[in-house]
C-alpha cells in the first residue's frame, strides 16, 4: 500500500542518488585530468623495482609507488635505467 509520503521519499532518494552519482563522476573526471597533467609533465617513467624506463603511454607501467619520473631519456639512462622492450622509449 502506498501513501502520500512514499512518492516524496522516492523523489528525495532519487535526487540524492543523482547528486551522489554526479559528485562521483566529477571526482573521476578531475582525477583523469590530473593523471593527464602528470603524463604531460613527465616524459619518461622509471620502474624503481626493475630499473626499466617506460613511456607514459606504456601498458605495463609500474604501480605509482614504484615509479620515478624523468624529464629526459638521457637523464634516465645516466641513472642506470634501461628501455622497456615494449614501448621502446
Amino acid at each position: 500500500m502506498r501513501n502520500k509520503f512514499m512518492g516524496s521519499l522516492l523523489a528525495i532518494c532519487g535526487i540524492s542518488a543523482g547528486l551522489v552519482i554526479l559528485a562521483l563522476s566529477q571526482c573521476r573526471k578531475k582525477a583523469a585530468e590530473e593523471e593527464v597533467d602528470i603524463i604531460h609533465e613527465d616524459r619518461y617513467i622509471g620502474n624503481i623495482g626493475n630499473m626499466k624506463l617506460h613511456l607514459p603511454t606504456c601498458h605495463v607501467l609500474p604501480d605509482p609507488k614504484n615509479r620515478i619520473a624523468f624529464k629526459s631519456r638521457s637523464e634516465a639512462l645516466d641513472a642506470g635505467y634501461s628501455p622497456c622492450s615494449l614501448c621502446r622509449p
Side-chain angles (χ1 to χ4, degrees), residues 29-66:
K29 183 179 177 184
K30 184 176 179 183
E33 289 170 355
E34 289 172 357
E35 182 70 22
V36 169
D37 290 343
I38 291 169
I39 288 173
H40 289 302
E41 284 179 14
D42 303 321
R43 296 200 49 195
Y44 300 95
I45 307 291
N47 183 329
I48 296 170
N50 64 11
M51 300 290 286
K52 291 290 182 183
L53 181 64
H54 302 273
L55 292 173
T57 56
C58 185
H59 70 275
V60 293
L61 285 175
D63 289 334
K65 65 181 179 188
N66 291 328

Side-chain angles (χ1 to χ4, degrees), residues 71-87:
K71 299 287 182 192
S72 69
R73 185 178 192 272
S74 61
E75 179 187 359
L77 295 175
D78 291 344
Y81 284 79
S82 59
C84 168
S85 61
L86 299 174
C87 64

